[in-house]
Amino acid sequence: MARIITIFLFFLSLGFSDELKEKLKAFFEREGYVIKVEGDRVWVDIKNLREKEELTVLREGEEIIHPITKQSFGKELERIGKIVVEEVKDNFSVGKLVEGKGLKPGDRVKVEIKSLCYEGSEEGYFLLSSVFPKVEKGKGCAYTVKEFERGYGVEFKGSAVAFFEKPTVGIPRASLEDINILVKGKFVKQLPSLPISADVGDVVGDGRDYLVVLFSGRVEVYEIVRNDIVLKASYSLPAGVPVSVVVAPIADEKKDYIIVNMVSGTRASSVILRMVGGVLVPVLKDVPYIMGVLDKSKPKETFLGQRFDSKVKFGNVIRLSLEGNKLQERGIFLAPRGFKIDSAIYYGNYLIFVDSSGRLKVFEGDSEIYASEDSFDGSYAYAEIVEDIKDRVIFHPKPALFSLMNFRLTLVPKNTGGNVLKILDILKFSRGELVIVGERKKSLVFSKTVRGSEFLEAIQAVVSTKDGRVFVLTGRVGTIPVQNKGDLYELEFRLL
């Protein structure tokens, strides 16, 4: 394996436990009530739904009573309709009534599981089929349960919707804060020039992650192979300064879009691209936001844009949606003070970002629960805005989520600024390293620098793939542009 994690008798993985069976059963038997009806639009109170999931509508009838013991066996249920989910909110969802009529608040609704497939071991199939007798092996179902080393994932029509971890036994689970981790960067490839930013995603639509790298003047898509990357597509950017790239499924297509954040003159002028027939084509240009997706498991709900111009630099934050080739504003996102979208990400319920003063901040709702003492300097991604005076705005690389020993955590790049060469006006960094942000317990997080994670000059990006590989892209600059270079490393984690 490209990523090696050495764990000495630390965990012993199990298959399904009774608790895990109950969690899966509860997921596939999600139910609730109709709370509002307007024509063919129906509001339901079920949480954790996905667009296009189907719901069966049931109406309660007479109570069923045992004739001897008088024990109640519940009420008769009559199927009266079907709903297709169209909008998913935090505490409710809205769907369209496609079968039936006469619905009213109080009617029961239940997720309809037409077909369920399983991909994994024989043991897992046997145990899953003991809970769901109609489970099939292979692909092609509306819902699929996939077995992974760490647990079982659930897909709905090809999109990941839930993950259930396998239980562990043996030595009691330690805190990640108490574990000493050594990281080693395995060199993969030298990049053709200085990378500005990078991200990964399924931009082709074949279910695999591709590495998307932003350079000055162009964006490139690479296929990730075992010990290398292979160029698949390139796109020359319009006039302006590229500052970051984001890859996420922000539309209805079964592929990820590429957001290239750019600055032109005194304001943002970003671009949205998608892959068509192996070629990158623009969907939108001159978008007046620096954009981001805070949680890739909920891309449409966390697709945001932040106003950026010479007056306020990072300004108001707007919720966005991409409908066809049009970008729609969906209201204000109440961001904390000092919020910058370039480095923002959700870690569970925590909002993590590096603020305008360079401090790493963690918020839970409106409450700040962590702030770093040290400053996190930016990267070689910057834009110079000239209006009344020349102003250099430096952008921070985005953190990456990944899993280690059944822990879900965040890797945050931390660069240390060097001297600015006054004569040549060149921005320099002296080193880059990685900081882990994890949860000690609810509403209490910690950070610690990863040993061995120091790189020459700056970390320009850290990304993690669906199969657990973690890559770091570094950058270094010289006194002339031709000396600007970058390297790609794959990280290997070991316990000390």
Side-chain angles (χ1 to χ4, degrees), residues 389-406:
I389 59 173
K390 180 178 174 182
D391 190 7
R392 173 179 281 163
V393 180
I394 298 175
F395 292 79
H396 289 78
K398 180 177 288 189
L401 294 175
F402 84 114
S403 297
L404 179 65
M405 301 181 304
N406 284 1

Side-chain angles (χ1 to χ4, degrees), residues 174-180 446 448:
S175 167
L176 186 63
E177 190 177 14
D178 301 323
I179 299 172
N180 290 319
F446 70 91
K448 61 187 294 185

Side-chain angles (χ1 to χ4, degrees), residues 114-154:
K114 288 186 175 180
S115 58
L116 175 62
C117 288
Y118 176 76
E119 296 179 26
S121 66
E122 287 296 321
E123 179 186 8
Y125 173 76
F126 177 80
L127 290 168
L128 182 62
S129 59
S130 70
V131 181
F132 306 103
K134 294 183 179 180
V135 65
E136 305 172 22
K137 291 183 179 180
K139 304 178 181 179
C141 298
Y143 293 86
T144 302
V145 176
K146 292 185 176 181
E147 182 179 18
F148 299 95
E149 180 181 354
R150 196 167 56 86
Y152 298 85
V154 182

Side-chain angles (χ1 to χ4, degrees), residues 220-287:
E220 295 184 346
V221 176
Y222 292 87
E223 180 182 358
I224 303 172
V225 294
R226 184 170 183 178
N227 295 308
D228 198 1
I229 56 173
V230 179
L231 181 63
K232 302 294 289 185
S234 181
Y235 178 81
S236 295
L237 296 168
V241 179
V243 293
S244 65
V245 66
V246 178
V247 181
I250 57 175
D252 292 332
E253 287 190 71
K254 290 185 177 180
K255 65 172 65 174
D256 291 357
Y257 281 55
I258 299 173
I259 299 169
V260 180
N261 290 311
M262 301 184 66
V263 176
S264 180
T266 60
R267 67 178 185 88
S269 59
S270 301
V271 178
I272 299 178
L273 308 169
R274 67 187 178 102
M275 185 83 83
V276 179
V279 178
L280 292 173
V281 299
V283 177
L284 286 172
K285 295 182 179 181
D286 199 29
V287 179

